[in-house]
Amino acid sequence: MNYLEAVPAVRRIDTDRDDLFAVDIVGEVNAADAENLYGLLEAAYALHAQIDVLVRLTDFESADWSEISRQTLEQGQTAALGHVRKCASVGGPDWTGYARGELPEGVELRHFPADREADAWRWLEAEPRGGA
């Protein structure tokens, strides 16, 4: 199956806060999914100087970042540094230890096991809409 046939792994979650960027990442993430994620984040940054982020990993398998240019990865990281206040990771592997070393002081980053997703929403003072 090629990228055009694959179901997107990155799916927006509608929330009750305009300045909260929430996504569900399902299954295996390929280069096209990563590019889509960066594009969605850029749109959120264009609308809000500061955002909070929730990343829910559902049946996460793997992520292949090898086909993404180094420049794209660096631009994505730089943009996040200037815009993200809080980031909640829900389910999947806890990647916050790695990310903490890449983010400046002041960005709050927490991992929540899948069975504590409600705690992540409370921490971000938000709720999903539409039965997410």
Side-chain angles (χ1 to χ4, degrees):
M1 180 182 305
N2 68 38
Y3 294 151
L4 297 176
E5 296 171 339
V7 175
V10 178
R11 303 169 192 169
R12 289 290 312 265
I13 300 171
D14 190 25
T15 76
D16 64 346
R17 280 186 47 204
D18 287 341
D19 63 344
L20 174 64
F21 177 82
V23 291
D24 194 14
I25 298 180
V26 181
E28 185 173 343
V29 178
N30 60 41
D33 295 314
E35 294 286 347
N36 179 40
L37 177 60
Y38 281 131
L40 292 169
L41 280 165
E42 286 295 326
Y45 302 151
L47 294 173
H48 303 282
Q50 296 284 290
I51 65 170
D52 292 333
V53 176
L54 181 135
V55 177
R56 179 172 62 199
L57 300 169
T58 304
D59 298 326
F60 180 75
E61 293 174 18
S62 66
D64 181 6
W65 300 92
S66 64
E67 293 184 29
I68 301 171
S69 76
R70 186 81 212 139
Q71 180 182 8
T72 299
L73 291 171
E74 288 171 0
Q75 287 173 342
Q77 181 183 19
T78 300
L81 297 179
H83 294 281
V84 177
R85 289 180 300 238
K86 291 173 121 178
C87 180
S89 167
V90 178
D94 181 358
W95 48 264
T96 58
Y98 167 78
R100 198 170 320 282
E102 302 295 318
L103 296 173
E105 288 186 36
V107 175
E108 296 181 64
L109 185 60
R110 289 186 56 189
H111 177 262
F112 298 84
D115 63 349
R116 293 194 42 224
E117 180 176 345
D119 293 339
W121 288 102
R122 276 191 292 281
W123 182 64
L124 293 168
E125 299 177 15
E127 292 183 13
R129 288 187 177 158

